[in-house]
Amino acid sequence: MSLGTTDKQRETAIVAGASLSGLMTALTLARAGLEVTLLERSARKSRTGAALPVAEGLLGRLTGRSETAYQSIPSGAQAWTDVHASLREAVQSEAHIDLQAPVTVTSAGEDDRSAWVSTDRGEVLHADLLVGADGHRSAVRGLVSPETPNAVFSGYVIWLGLVDEASISAPAWPSDLAILYEGDYCLNAYYLPGEDGSTTRGRRLGWGWYDAGHNELLRKAGVVRGNVVQRTLRPDDMPDSLFRELARDARHYWPEPWREAILDCLARRSIIGTPIGEYLPDRLVTQRICLVGDAAHLPSPMTGRGFSASAEDALALGDALERHDSIGEALRRYEADRLQPARGLVRSGQSFSRSFASRGAGQ
């Protein structure tokens, strides 16, 4: 008899973190028959410019239902914000998921009978299962791997931006993706559907500019401390000199239409800087706690597979819970399915990170 069947009380789960991996995991846990409490510390999510490769029929696989019941997520390259909005809408329509935000998990633990979290609301919440989906700075990770609780700063930042194609006068790039190396920089640039889903002349241009030369700025702003990434660099954290420098280098290094797209974003102060960390897991589970997504395995974005791996985590965990009668058995199956692929994914990006970060040595 699998977990959550109708002839016994539904098992319960707490998912810490309602970014992409947390939303997907909440959907698969509800599909498996669990009552899910989903906790998110941020009232609003935004990831300017980031693009994700979405597999065909993803939402249907996560929920076990026809995608016509939800705002479908088109396959192919999609904007981070669009995917997040669709997943959140699906979560909010699911009766067995209680999404609470903003709520910060301040501590967590487990024993033979349950797992629990304490929150900044002064509550202590108990459940049969605790899932850490709380990203690269996961608080739950320290319970699973106390010897290695932190992701390690990889030595570079990615500047991200997004602009409507209609704002750009330059001719279109001949393909949907460009990967360019110039000087000490790397640029990934791509076309995304417009906000209305258009894939013709109503698209958006997204870009990610890899830069290993501003590590001192990251440390001065407090977004990197020691070898640990703390947060994303927002425009208010960025000095005017940085915008001028990036605009100068964009004019020098990048071809159209990416040059114009980058200059447009810089002029609007509509960029973010994401310091890149990496985390190679040794384990994914304890007795009643598991990790998914960036909390479990944090690869370089150059792998292009972080989102897909998070979806695979969510699906594997849901499948394991459906197949096994106990939380412990299900978590052991989940780790057996996902640990080695997760380690392989992280390792696949490490050679790029080490080579690219060396360009910023001495910064």
Side-chain angles (χ1 to χ4, degrees), residues 277-300:
E278 290 177 320
Y279 184 77
L280 181 68
D282 292 320
R283 60 183 69 91
L284 300 178
V285 308
T286 63
Q287 186 176 3
R288 291 185 174 272
I289 301 173
C290 70
L291 304 173
V292 297
D294 286 351
H297 44 75
L298 187 59
S300 164

Side-chain angles (χ1 to χ4, degrees), residues 73-318:
I73 307 175
S75 59
Q78 303 295 329
W80 189 101
T81 50
D82 294 343
V83 176
H84 185 270
S86 295
L87 289 170
R88 185 167 178 132
E89 179 180 307
V91 160
Q92 290 175 322
S93 70
E94 173 53 62
H96 297 291
I97 302 175
D98 176 21
L99 172 57
Q100 301 181 23
V103 181
T104 298
V105 172
T106 57
S107 63
E110 67 175 338
D111 59 24
D112 290 343
R113 295 185 298 173
S114 71
W116 66 84
V117 298
S118 299
T119 76
D120 59 349
R121 295 177 176 178
E123 303 171 309
V124 179
L125 306 177
H126 289 260
D128 298 298
L129 170 66
L130 170 60
V131 180
D134 47 346
H136 73 276
R137 286 195 67 209
S138 172
V140 179
R141 188 193 290 134
L143 298 172
V144 177
S145 293
E147 307 88 353
T148 54
N150 296 317
V152 177
F153 177 50
S154 296
Y156 59 100
V157 64
I158 300 180
W159 310 111
L160 292 164
L162 185 69
V163 63
D164 290 335
E165 187 177 21
S167 302
I168 302 301
S169 60
W173 192 256
S175 62
D176 287 340
L177 173 66
I179 302 177
L180 307 172
Y181 290 88
E182 293 291 346
D184 290 335
Y185 295 136
C186 173
L187 180 71
N188 286 1
Y190 34 81
Y191 287 98
L192 297 169
E195 291 188 10
D196 62 355
S198 173
T199 56
T200 56
R201 184 70 190 181
R203 300 174 297 181
R204 288 168 287 181
L205 282 72
W207 52 272
W209 181 345
Y210 291 66
D211 177 2
H214 285 93
N215 294 343
E216 186 59 31
L217 169 65
L218 303 179
R219 298 185 190 282
K220 286 182 177 179
V223 300
V224 175
R225 294 177 185 167
N227 68 342
V228 179
V229 175
Q230 302 295 314
R231 60 184 176 87
T232 291
L233 191 70
R234 299 291 175 181
D236 289 346
D237 300 316
M238 302 177 190
D240 290 343
S241 59
L242 174 66
F243 289 98
R244 291 194 296 269
E245 181 182 351
L246 292 177
R248 180 199 69 205
D249 286 353
R251 292 186 181 97
H252 179 73
Y253 288 115
W254 305 128
E256 299 290 15
W258 314 119
R259 176 194 303 145
E260 189 177 352
I262 292 169
L263 292 173
D264 181 278
C265 292
L266 291 172
R268 292 184 288 112
R269 297 295 199 267
S270 184
I271 69 169
I272 61 173
T274 300
I276 300 305
E278 290 177 320
Y279 184 77
L280 181 68
D282 292 320
R283 60 183 69 91
L284 300 178
V285 308
T286 63
Q287 186 176 3
R288 291 185 174 272
I289 301 173
C290 70
L291 304 173
V292 297
D294 286 351
H297 44 75
L298 187 59
S300 164
M302 275 301 284
T303 66
R305 294 204 62 247
F307 174 69
S308 297
S310 295
E312 290 162 10
D313 291 345
L315 291 164
L317 182 58

